[in-house]
Amino acid sequence: MMFVIFLSLLLLIILITGLIAVFLPRLFGSGILFSAFSFFVVLAYLLLSAPDVAFTEAVISVISIAYYVIAIRELRKGDLE
Amino acid sequence: MKQKHSSIILEVAYRLLIPVLIVFGVYVLIHGEYSPGGGFQAGVILALAVILNRVLEPADVKKNYWTYKTIALAGMGPVIYMMTGLLSIPFGGHFLEYGLLPLPVHEVERHLYGILFIEVGVTLGVMATIISIFDSLGKVGDPDERGNLL
Amino acid sequence: MAADVIMTARPVWAVLISTAAALLIMASGRKPNLREFWTLAAALLKIGIVYSMLPMILQGNILISNPLILSPGIELFFQVDAAGMLFAALASVLWFLTSIFSIGYMRSLHEAHQTGYYASFALCLTAAMGIAFAGNLLTFFVFFEMLTLATYPLVIHERTDEALRAGRQYLVYTLISGQLTLIGIILVYQIAGHGNFMPGGFMSGIAGTPALVGIFLLLMAGPAVKAGMMPFHGWLPSAMVAPTPVSALLHAVAVVKAGCFGVLRITGYVFSPQSLQAIGVAKPLAWLAGATIILASLIALTRPNLKQRLAYSTIGQLSYIILGAALGTTSALLGSFYHLFAHGIMKITLFFTAGAIYTKTHDLEIRKLSGLGRTMPLTFCAYTFCALGIAGMPLAVGFISKWNLLLGTVESGQGGFAVVLIISGLLACAYLLPVAYSAFRSEVVPEMEHIKGEPNLWTLVPLLATTVIALILGIFPDAAGHFYTLAQMAADNIMTGTY
Amino acid sequence: MAHIPVLVVLVPLLTALVLPAINQLLPRITQAFFKSALLANVVLAVLAMRHVVTEGPWHYWLGNWEPPYGIEFVLDAMSATLVLVAAGMAFVVALYARPFFNLDEAGMETRTLFYVLFTLMTSGVIGVAIAGDIFTLYVFIEIASISSYGVVAMGGGRAAFAAYRYLILGTVAATFYLIGIGLIFAMTGTLNMAQLSEMLPPLMRSPAIIAGMCFIILGLGTKTAMVPLHSWLPDAHTYGPTPAIAFLATALLKAFSYAIYRFMYQIFGGHAQPVTALALQVLGGLAAAGILYGSVMAIAQKDFRRMLAYSTIAQISYIPLGIAIGTPAAIAGAALQVISHSMTKGCLFMVKGGMHLKLHTTQIDDLGGMSRSMPISSFALTVSALSMIGLPPTSGFFVKWQLLRGASAAGLNWMMIVLVLSGLLNAVYFFRILENVFIRKPNQEAHADEGPHGAVLGIKPELPLPMLAAMLILTFGILAVGVGSGWLTEHVFSLIDLAGGGV
Amino acid sequence: MSVAIFFSYVIFWLIALLYVSGFFGMMEHNHLVKKLMAMNLMQTAVILFFLLLGQKIGGITPIAVPGITDIDAYANPLPQALMLTAIVVNLSTTGIALTFLIVIKKFWNTLDESEIMRRMDK
């Protein structure tokens, strides 16, 4: 019971962070929000009793945030020059 | 490049993190059967360690990283996997039938060893792949050509 | 008379020999003499093969060869019967003569792209031979489309804008109608389960009348367009931009005759004359053919260019064959089959003469040809004789076919068409003979005064040869090739429904 | 030999993986290794085909675990056909690619990267063909797709954008597919195709299954570029590097159509199930729309590359059309189209690459005089154009014949009209090209620049020999398949098991 | 309707919403990086959906716990295994897409989709 309510709250948070990340105008900020999104997703996976997936998602989200950050830095290079 | 403007504390923390990550990665790899984790996660963690190292390097060194060797290594990991799988064929089994691997141990244990081999391969492959994608993200953007990847 | 079936590979060789020739011609494009040697050698070989089958056919046998059984229901197979033999013999003989003529024509005009020309020519003959020997609708269609493709380079041979336009028009007409035929063929396979030609047909009564009418119309689309039946004749006069030997081939041997032959195959070997009457398409077809005969002759009267005039004459004459098929009596069919041959030999002579004249004058305006009969007596004699033959003069080969057609109209009780035939004969005199008359009797126009002597031998000999053939066969209809017997056998086959 | 089903996937996969290492250690033998591996794969595919023809379908369990738990590979007549096509096309394209890239001045390492991705793509396609459960199918679809994104992007900046759009849409399609199999899994609890086909019939009315079916068709339809979902294809096929596209437009797209077939007939029960029959009808309508749309758009194009792309949309729809008709003849036609269109379109793209290198243009109006400078390519172009139009004796005609037979047997007369119309529309644009190639005079400025590659290996004005060889293999293949189509129909396609097929 | 069932519906609706918003964000957004993020949203939604399928009320983590041998007590491990694969696929897709983005940026000097589309037709 609590589990279900908790999960739906978590999903709501995921939804909101994800939407903000997508619609935030600033690129770097949305990258950061995206990492928050990933964190909540990891929580949700844990809640769904899938620790294996959660673990994978955790390490992968680190990597993908790193990808995003690197890429965003590369993308902004041209704008500054 | 004004690479050095990041704080000392952060850099030291990064450097401390690297050996921890490596150890943790190997632990995850070995302990895959008993707890969450396995070859894939181990590979990602090891790759993370390498990437942290890369982040700390100055930019001009980084340019030389996009080498073919990483990709070659990325290929070799799955090759280990598949060779393990293929090894059971000459001994009368199907592909990936670890029970028939030529190891001097009991059949159940052979399964575990077989899976370990495979996990090592996966780790290697994942690690090298992630690093090579990371490197390529830094490299492809060099403003030299007409944007031609080839 | 139950026919014996003889398995033999000869039809396949007859078909393939000109394909091989085409390849050899392509390979030896740099050496004109070698290239033309291949053409002639293949033509002779082909005549040999075709005629080697003649005795067996005359004994009432049919030859079958099954090079490719694709699968039950889809097979590419050849079957030689009297009708096919007739067409094959005609095509192979005329290929040889046309080849000789082409050599003379092309060389004296120094035409470009000769290699492609001879290769396409050989491919055309492959296709024509395939159509002649096709044993089922699939095979027929395969070679029918191949004929379209092989003729296209010939039509656009001159590479001028006009030629390209004519080529496009030709493709539009033939491809669209060909695809309609394809649908018809599919429906035949679907309903009847097979598409093998049988004398007397295999479609009667196996489906409702509307379905049969639809299938008949779809099937007829391709052959009728190729046979230039009005109102689908538009491509034919514009295709006249091609060199004259090509026109000779298009209008006497390969394309239009393949169309007519297709019409005969469909009316006689897929459907039967009786079933056409039963589903009520015979009458309209006959009317359409009759209208085409008269209209085409009338249009021919108005054309100032000799080739154009011959083109419209062809449209009219071809409809004789369709008319015969639509009338559907023994004599009418005999007339149709024989006209296939007779018109071929006469019209090719007319085109040969036109071509031969063109090599000298570079112009085919009828007005400018006056008086040339005195410088080129042989050529114009041949022209005159065949023009009379087209009109149906006795002693020329055209008389035989026309006589049988006339008999057929009476037999079928539609005597009205006899009037059409007679009017058409008179009109043919009216549009062909003035050329001959003015050539012998009028003055030479000033710009043609420099023309001296007959055309060169390469062009002269074939046209004289065809004239002689026309004359001999007009007197002895069954000489040499036994075309008359073959036509009779084919007509009998259709009427009796057996080989 | 008992392990061919797994070897046929593993050989290209292993090749792809060790290729970078070999390129590092022994750069000289890279090419030889690559090509001989692909050739070996062709041999394996032929052996697989022979086994299927003589002994029937072939089931292989990885690790010898039974299907509900283990992964199963299945080789039947249809998948063996696709495997053969994929392996064969991969080899031919490999033959073509080496000189192409030599002339295109690509770097050594990135070129090897191309080969790696290309071989991965091959193994993905073959995997799609033989996967025996729907999740393995997903994995192989993604292997093939992701490597195809990479391969397309190698064509430069425009290609990268095209590849990006392709990636976005391809990923949407993949998620659709995943949702679909999720729904099916939720209802049945299994992913194995054979088990699904037994468990699904009583469940076919449930909304979850119907929704799952819709999602799967949407996903696979996007990847196959069925008509409302085709928007990624023209750009990707226009700007991608030629050898990649020659494989992409042929084997890869076929793999997805094949997956549709697999789902419709071997899982959802074909025409025997009312729901599936309805879905098949919709599929047939979309395919017909795709055929007409692609042909009409192809006529409107001025660039040969783009024209080929639209023509691909049209031609690829023949396969769903055949699947939708669903009579044995139509399915045989679809299978024949898998072979025929692969060779035809592959050959056309190769000719396009040749134009690009030699004439430095692919604008249709600038192709004048090509028959003079590139006679052999022009011959290949002619034959494949005829096959596209569907004129005998090329294979395209027999595809049309089979499909028409199927349509008439099913009483779908409007489909016959669509097919015939499509042939005529094809004739319009291909004869325009042939006219330009053979008849028009060379365009001065287009040919003035002979480029730095004037004297490459091979016949002087023509392309290098391996490229010509590749084209000629395909050209003669088109003719051979045309003539041998009956043999194929009788001995191979008749073995296709049509659960619920036949109307 | 009990609260638990109501919320279990809510869960599915939320996941569907996540998926749909990802889908529309991807289709409508002009910025290519944002498109990619929206795509990740979509993929996450699918993974959540799959994990829910393997879920049983009161099911425990599918890792062998000494003493519990009843298979039904564990959550279904199959969807989880499948999702591991899916996550890997997502990661590689993201990586490749970012590489493309950098190339696109270099070539076009913009990441605005409609702008690039406009220039592409030229």
Side-chain angles (χ1 to χ4, degrees):
Chain A
M1 183 59 217
M2 275 316 289
F3 161 78
V4 179
I5 295 173
F6 197 57
L7 185 62
S8 25
L9 278 178
L10 200 54
L11 283 175
L12 202 63
I13 297 171
I14 289 173
L15 185 62
I16 291 167
T17 36
L19 280 179
I20 296 176
V22 169
F23 289 103
L24 204 67
R26 282 195 55 210
L27 216 51
F28 201 80
S30 69
I32 300 300
L33 257 171
F34 198 70
S35 68
F37 167 80
S38 295
F39 173 72
F40 288 118
V41 169
V42 171
L43 278 188
Y45 289 170
L46 269 180
L47 208 59
L48 285 167
S49 62
D52 220 0
V53 184
F55 185 26
T56 316
E57 173 69 25
V59 284
I60 278 197
S61 67
V62 175
I63 294 289
S64 74
I65 298 303
Y67 282 178
Y68 267 112
V69 170
I70 284 284
I72 287 171
R73 204 183 62 191
E74 289 289 331
L75 293 176
R76 290 204 307 189
K77 241 186 217 166
D79 294 343
L80 296 177
E81 283 158 11
Chain B
M1 285 297 284
K2 34 190 173 130
Q3 180 70 28
K4 290 289 164 191
H5 76 159
S6 56
S7 77
I8 302 287
I9 299 173
L10 209 56
E11 204 178 319
V12 171
Y14 277 3
R15 287 204 191 285
L16 281 177
L17 214 51
I18 292 170
V20 176
L21 275 176
I22 292 175
V23 172
F24 183 52
V26 174
Y27 168 78
V28 168
L29 166 66
I30 308 285
H31 213 243
E33 286 90 64
Y34 310 109
S35 66
F40 180 80
Q41 290 88 338
V44 180
I45 292 168
L46 291 178
L48 208 56
V50 179
I51 285 177
L52 270 187
N53 193 36
R54 298 257 153 121
V55 172
L56 296 176
E57 299 276 2
D60 47 337
V61 181
K62 232 183 292 180
K63 260 194 185 140
N64 303 324
Y65 275 138
W66 166 243
T67 55
Y68 226 63
K69 296 190 177 98
T70 348
I71 292 185
L73 187 66
M76 290 332 283
V79 168
I80 295 176
Y81 180 142
M82 278 163 210
M83 284 305 171
T84 316
L86 282 175
L87 202 58
S88 57
I89 288 182
F91 295 92
H94 275 202
F95 182 64
L96 290 180
E97 195 167 349
Y98 315 117
L100 294 166
L101 283 179
L103 294 172
V105 284
H106 187 259
E107 187 180 329
V108 178
E109 236 172 307
R110 273 190 224 154
H111 266 282
L112 294 182
Y113 279 111
I115 290 174
L116 186 63
F117 273 121
I118 282 182
E119 301 255 304
V120 169
V122 170
T123 309
L124 215 58
V126 167
M127 186 181 101
T129 311
I130 287 176
I131 293 170
S132 67
I133 293 182
F134 183 85
D135 287 348
S136 78
L137 284 177
K139 164 82 179 195
V140 173
D142 287 345
D144 48 353
E145 288 179 38
R146 39 190 180 137
N148 204 336
L149 267 179
L150 265 183
Chain C
M1 174 179 72
D4 289 332
V5 174
I6 300 174
M7 300 292 284
T8 168
R10 274 183 238 182
V12 186
W13 290 120
V15 171
L16 286 184
I17 190 88
S18 37
T19 316
L23 293 178
L24 286 172
I25 289 166
M26 291 290 242
S28 50
R30 299 266 163 80
K31 303 178 190 120
N33 287 329
L34 183 63
R35 177 182 73 199
E36 279 137 30
F37 165 76
W38 291 126
T39 306
L40 293 178
L44 277 177
L45 210 55
K46 179 168 263 187
I47 292 177
I49 295 172
V50 168
Y51 271 80
S52 75
M53 290 185 279
L54 184 62
M56 293 187 252
I57 299 293
L58 287 176
Q59 285 159 19
N61 304 318
I62 54 170
L63 311 181
I64 281 183
S65 76
N66 251 345
L68 276 173
I69 303 174
L70 295 181
S71 77
I74 321 176
E75 36 193 58
L76 213 56
F77 95 94
F78 296 115
Q79 170 184 330
V80 190
D81 56 5
M85 189 66 210
L86 175 72
F87 184 43
L90 172 73
S92 58
V93 171
L94 292 189
W95 182 33
F96 180 64
L97 293 172
T98 315
S99 303
I100 298 178
F101 180 80
S102 313
I103 293 168
Y105 182 87
M106 300 305 265
R107 288 197 173 178
S108 58
L109 287 179
H110 306 291
E111 293 270 353
H113 321 295
Q114 290 195 25
T115 308
Y117 170 84
Y118 286 111
S120 310
F121 223 118
L123 279 179
C124 271
L125 260 293
T126 305
M129 207 53 64
I131 289 172
F133 291 155
N136 60 13
L137 281 168
L138 174 64
T139 321
F140 178 79
F141 182 76
V142 167
F143 286 104
F144 199 74
E145 291 291 80
M146 193 171 153
L147 184 61
T148 306
L149 292 178
T151 329
Y152 174 70
L154 294 175
V155 174
I156 59 164
H157 180 80
E158 302 287 351
R159 308 290 205 264
T160 56
D161 280 342
E162 192 193 357
L164 287 179
R165 216 173 307 123
R168 263 180 237 139
Q169 194 181 4
Y170 174 67
L171 278 183
V172 167
Y173 273 86
T174 48
L175 281 181
I176 291 178
S177 61
Q179 294 298 317
L180 291 178
T181 306
L182 177 61
I183 296 186
I185 291 174
I186 295 285
L187 290 174
V188 168
Y189 272 85
Q190 187 55 40
I191 292 174
H194 70 101
N196 297 351
F197 292 130
M198 287 177 198
F202 53 89
M203 290 296 285
S204 30
I206 60 172
T209 305
L212 285 183
V213 172
I215 290 173
F216 178 74
L217 292 180
L218 285 171
L219 278 183
M220 283 292 281
V225 166
K226 279 232 170 72
M229 195 167 74
M230 281 185 181
F232 314 113
H233 67 290
W235 63 272
L236 211 155
S238 28
M240 280 297 140
V241 294
T244 313
V246 174
S247 306
L249 177 88
L250 282 177
H251 297 140
V253 191
V255 178
V256 295
K257 283 292 145 56
C260 293
F261 186 72
V263 170
L264 286 169
R265 277 285 195 217
I266 288 163
T267 52
Y269 292 77
V270 176
F271 292 85
S272 65
Q274 293 84 355
S275 69
L276 290 186
Q277 307 247 322
I279 62 174
V281 291
K283 273 255 166 59
L285 188 64
W287 278 105
L288 209 56
T292 308
I293 293 173
I294 300 291
L295 277 176
S297 306
L298 287 174
I299 296 174
L301 273 176
T302 66
R303 296 289 135 165
N305 184 300
L306 183 57
K307 260 176 106 177
Q308 288 288 336
R309 213 170 257 203
L310 291 177
Y312 277 100
S313 154
T314 309
I315 296 172
Q317 295 286 320
L318 291 171
S319 283
Y320 280 36
I321 300 170
I322 300 175
L323 179 63
L327 292 175
T329 64
T330 316
S331 308
L333 285 169
L334 170 59
S336 279
F337 276 113
Y338 199 67
H339 198 66
L340 200 70
F341 162 73
H343 175 253
I345 204 97
M346 291 182 304
K347 196 44 71 59
I348 208 166
T349 315
L350 290 177
F351 275 108
F352 280 172
T353 50
I357 295 165
Y358 184 75
T359 57
K360 303 289 282 185
T361 63
H362 302 277
D363 202 340
L364 280 175
E365 282 287 305
I366 289 169
R367 188 179 53 79
K368 294 182 185 164
L369 298 182
S370 65
L372 288 179
R374 283 184 293 261
T375 50
M376 299 184 240
L378 282 176
T379 314
F380 274 93
C381 279
Y383 175 85
T384 315
F385 178 75
C386 284
L388 287 170
I390 290 273
M393 179 193 75
L395 292 190
V397 67
F399 171 71
I400 316 278
S401 51
K402 218 168 232 189
W403 174 251
N404 281 306
L405 279 172
L406 279 171
L407 277 182
T409 57
V410 177
E411 260 177 31
S412 66
Q414 300 174 14
F417 288 110
V419 181
V420 170
L421 290 177
I422 289 164
I423 292 176
S424 145
L426 293 175
L427 285 171
C429 287
Y431 60 75
L432 287 176
L433 285 183
V435 181
Y437 180 82
S438 70
F440 284 112
R441 303 302 298 262
S442 307
E443 290 304 310
V444 180
V445 289
E447 58 260 50
M448 293 295 169
E449 272 170 353
H450 64 281
I451 310 281
K452 290 282 175 289
E454 293 279 352
N456 92 34
L457 274 181
W458 284 96
T459 53
L460 192 58
V461 169
L463 77 90
L464 290 179
T466 48
T467 317
V468 171
I469 294 174
L471 177 63
I472 294 174
L473 290 183
I475 303 167
F476 309 105
D478 207 20
H482 297 280
F483 289 108
Y484 194 75
T485 318
L486 286 173
Q488 200 153 28
M489 285 171 69
D492 284 342
N493 285 343
I494 292 176
M495 292 315 288
T496 56
T498 52
Y499 279 116
Chain D
M1 281 304 100
H3 301 281
I4 284 177
V6 67
L7 284 180
V8 89
V9 184
L10 274 192
V11 167
L13 203 54
L14 272 176
T15 313
L17 295 173
V18 297
L19 212 54
I22 289 190
N23 194 39
Q24 281 288 305
L25 302 174
L26 304 159
R28 278 162 196 280
I29 67 160
T30 313
Q31 278 293 325
F33 176 78
F34 170 62
K35 277 177 199 151
S36 46
L38 286 180
L39 189 61
N41 204 31
V42 175
V43 173
L44 285 176
V46 171
L47 287 176
M49 178 61 110
R50 211 189 64 180
H51 186 279
V52 167
V53 167
T54 52
E55 288 168 44
W58 200 348
H59 296 262
Y60 188 92
W61 300 337
L62 288 195
N64 218 355
W65 284 335
E66 281 183 44
Y69 311 106
I71 295 170
E72 188 188 24
F73 283 172
V74 182
L75 258 174
D76 58 14
M78 194 78 159
S79 49
T81 309
L82 183 57
V83 168
L84 193 55
V85 166
M89 280 308 294
F91 176 66
V92 174
V93 172
L95 212 57
Y96 180 86
R98 171 89 188 273
F100 180 85
F101 283 127
N102 273 349
L103 295 184
D104 214 32
E105 297 169 327
M108 179 72 178
E109 290 182 342
T110 38
R111 228 185 298 154
T112 313
L113 201 59
F114 169 82
Y115 293 132
V116 171
L117 288 176
F118 174 74
T119 334
L120 268 182
M121 195 152 79
T122 311
S123 69
V125 171
I126 295 177
V128 170
I130 67 176
D133 72 74
I134 52 182
F135 195 79
T136 315
L137 192 65
Y138 166 77
V139 172
F140 280 117
I141 283 178
E142 282 305 286
I143 289 180
S145 301
I146 291 180
S147 34
S148 73
Y149 309 145
V151 153
V152 169
M154 288 189 161
R158 285 164 191 276
F161 181 63
Y164 190 79
R165 290 184 63 204
Y166 179 23
L167 180 143
I168 293 280
L169 277 173
T171 312
V172 177
T175 55
F176 275 157
Y177 179 81
L178 216 46
I179 292 176
I181 63 175
L183 287 168
I184 290 174
F185 177 73
M187 295 303 288
T188 60
T190 180
L191 291 168
N192 185 275
M193 290 186 185
Q195 288 189 329
L196 280 175
S197 69
E198 285 164 16
M199 294 172 71
L200 274 178
L203 297 172
M204 277 313 283
R205 293 251 166 224
S206 88
I209 297 292
I210 294 175
M213 183 159 80
C214 292
F215 273 117
I216 287 173
I217 291 178
L218 269 179
L220 292 176
T222 310
K223 296 222 174 199
T224 334
M226 292 234 314
V227 115
L229 311 166
H230 65 280
S231 59
W232 59 270
L233 189 140
D235 278 343
H237 281 205
T238 306
Y239 299 116
T242 307
I245 301 305
F247 190 80
L248 203 84
T250 58
L252 189 72
L253 290 179
K254 306 293 184 308
F256 303 133
S257 322
Y258 163 81
I260 294 181
Y261 157 79
R262 207 68 190 256
F263 269 97
M264 288 325 236
Y265 284 97
Q266 299 189 341
I267 295 173
F268 292 130
H271 280 286
Q273 296 289 340
V275 177
T276 318
L278 188 68
L280 283 172
Q281 270 178 25
V282 175
L283 196 69
L286 290 181
I291 290 173
L292 294 180
Y293 169 84
S295 305
V296 171
M297 286 303 284
I299 291 176
Q301 303 304 319
K302 291 198 175 68
D303 191 340
F304 187 51
R305 302 182 286 178
R306 226 174 162 70
M307 194 208 85
L308 286 184
Y310 278 107
S311 137
T312 304
I313 294 179
Q315 293 280 326
I316 209 81
S317 295
Y318 277 39
I319 300 171
L321 193 77
I323 294 170
I325 295 169
T327 56
I331 295 290
L336 195 60
Q337 171 78 346
V338 169
I339 304 177
S340 159
H341 179 255
S342 295
M343 295 196 299
T344 312
K345 202 35 80 54
C347 190
L348 283 171
F349 271 111
M350 286 176 182
V351 172
K352 175 219 112 179
M355 287 173 189
H356 194 64
L357 293 179
K358 279 283 153 194
L359 310 181
H360 305 287
T361 179
T362 52
Q363 295 295 315
I364 292 172
D365 290 338
D366 294 341
L367 293 181
M370 182 183 144
S371 64
R372 202 79 46 79
S373 53
M374 303 162 72
I376 300 174
S377 311
S378 307
F379 168 69
L381 174 67
T382 313
V383 172
S384 26
L386 295 185
S387 176
M388 275 299 184
I389 301 168
L391 293 174
T394 54
S395 54
F397 169 70
F398 291 94
V399 171
K400 208 149 81 175
W401 176 268
Q402 293 281 15
L403 287 178
L404 285 170
R405 283 298 304 273
S408 85
L412 297 164
N413 289 334
W414 61 275
M415 278 190 186
M416 297 174 71
I417 294 169
V418 167
L419 283 167
V420 162
L421 205 57
S422 140
L424 291 173
L425 291 172
N426 282 5
V428 172
Y429 55 84
F430 274 114
F431 272 106
R432 191 178 54 171
I433 285 170
L434 291 182
E435 214 179 273
N436 274 306
V437 166
F438 282 97
I439 292 150
R440 293 246 184 265
K441 291 277 174 292
N443 191 335
Q444 285 306 317
E445 52 189 323
H447 291 260
D449 169 33
E450 270 301 305
H453 318 299
V456 283
L457 60 156
I459 308 168
K460 190 158 176 250
E462 260 284 0
L463 297 166
L465 276 177
M467 291 171 84
L468 287 181
M471 282 183 215
L472 286 180
I473 289 174
L474 292 179
T475 309
F476 288 111
I478 291 167
L479 295 172
V481 168
V483 174
S485 69
W487 186 89
L488 284 172
T489 315
E490 194 175 356
H491 291 97
V492 181
F493 303 146
S494 62
L495 300 175
I496 293 173
D497 174 35
L498 271 184
V503 178
Chain E
M1 187 193 288
S2 84
V3 184
I5 295 178
F6 168 75
F7 271 102
S8 65
Y9 274 103
V10 167
I11 289 172
F12 276 101
W13 278 113
L14 279 174
I15 289 176
L17 200 60
L18 185 61
Y19 184 85
V20 169
S21 58
F23 184 78
F24 278 101
M26 190 155 116
M27 288 297 143
E28 296 306 320
H29 220 301
N30 254 336
H31 198 285
L32 294 179
V33 179
K34 297 298 174 60
K35 259 178 143 54
L36 194 63
M37 284 179 176
M39 193 183 90
N40 282 352
L41 248 62
M42 259 174 91
Q43 293 171 329
T44 310
V46 173
I47 293 170
L48 281 168
F49 170 66
F50 253 85
L51 290 182
L52 270 176
L53 292 180
Q55 194 63 29
K56 294 191 190 96
I57 296 296
I60 57 171
T61 317
I63 292 175
V65 178
I68 302 179
T69 50
D70 182 15
I71 291 187
D72 288 337
Y74 297 95
N76 190 347
L78 188 57
Q80 300 189 6
L82 302 186
M83 280 315 105
L84 283 182
T85 322
I87 288 178
V88 177
V89 169
N90 295 353
L91 177 70
S92 41
T93 318
T94 311
I96 287 192
L98 285 170
T99 319
F100 289 177
L101 278 181
I102 293 174
V103 177
I104 291 170
K105 173 77 184 192
K106 288 295 165 210
F107 187 82
W108 299 98
N109 203 25
T110 175
L111 283 176
D112 187 78
E113 189 185 25
S114 49
E115 168 75 12
I116 298 179
M117 293 280 268
R118 202 167 49 75
R119 280 198 248 159
M120 195 92 151
D121 291 336
K122 199 225 89 189

